[in-house]
Amino acid sequence: KYGVVGGGMRNSVAADSATIGGGENNSVDGTWSFVGGGRENHASEGESSVIPGGASNFVLHSYSTIGGGYYNSVNATWAVIGGGHHNLASGNSSTISGGRSNEAIETYCSVGGGASNTVRGYGGTIAGGVGNDAHGGYASIGGGTLNAVHSAWSTIGGGWHNQ
């Protein structure tokens, strides 16, 4: 094993060519993966995953990244969470830029930010807002509150409680 721990305390590297820069209680189990620092960040079960910092973030598949924040989780390949907290990216190639309690569940979907937004449709997008749900394939919601798109290829620009 050619793993590196640069410093900190209670950090663990259990994979070839993996690195932890520092921090506390971080772990890397994925080959060629990296945790820069922070606390209780874990890059496991894959390869080439990255967590530069933050706290209690989990990357569970290959080629995925969490930029920072806390209690974020990526459970998909090629997925990204930029930051925020309590976000979940479980669709392959999905993205959550930030915010809180957002979910990108399906492949190629994205959430720009806001809170409690969920994209369940393939290729769907929610730019922001609160409590929005893009359920149809390629559905999009620009923002607003409590909007829901259930049909494919449909869009709600914004507003409140539109369907």
Side-chain angles (χ1 to χ4, degrees):
K1 307 240 186 227
Y2 299 101
V4 174
V5 174
M9 55 196 251
R10 293 188 301 270
N11 294 308
S12 171
V13 172
D16 290 337
S17 304
T19 302
I20 295 175
E24 179 183 357
N25 203 30
N26 297 303
S27 68
V28 175
D29 298 326
T31 304
W32 306 304
S33 293
F34 172 81
V35 172
R39 184 172 173 216
E40 296 178 5
N41 294 306
H42 307 282
S44 64
E45 294 184 35
E47 60 186 39
S48 302
S49 294
V50 176
I51 303 173
S56 299
N57 295 304
F58 296 86
V59 174
L60 303 174
H61 282 274
S62 298
Y63 313 109
S64 295
T65 300
I66 295 175
Y70 59 96
Y71 294 111
N72 294 305
S73 181
V74 171
N75 191 15
T77 304
W78 303 299
V80 175
I81 295 176
H85 60 94
H86 294 91
N87 295 306
L88 170 65
S90 59
N92 289 336
S93 301
S94 63
T95 301
I96 298 174
S97 297
R100 72 171 167 83
S101 302
N102 295 305
E103 296 182 329
I105 295 172
E106 187 56 78
T107 301
Y108 300 121
C109 66
S110 62
V111 176
S116 301
N117 296 304
T118 302
V119 179
R120 304 169 200 272
Y122 183 96
T125 299
I126 296 175
V130 178
N132 296 305
D133 184 9
H135 192 75
Y138 301 101
S140 63
I141 297 174
T145 303
L146 299 174
N147 296 303
V149 175
H150 299 289
S151 301
W153 304 98
S154 299
T155 299
I156 294 175
W160 178 76
H161 212 277
N162 295 302
Q163 292 190 19

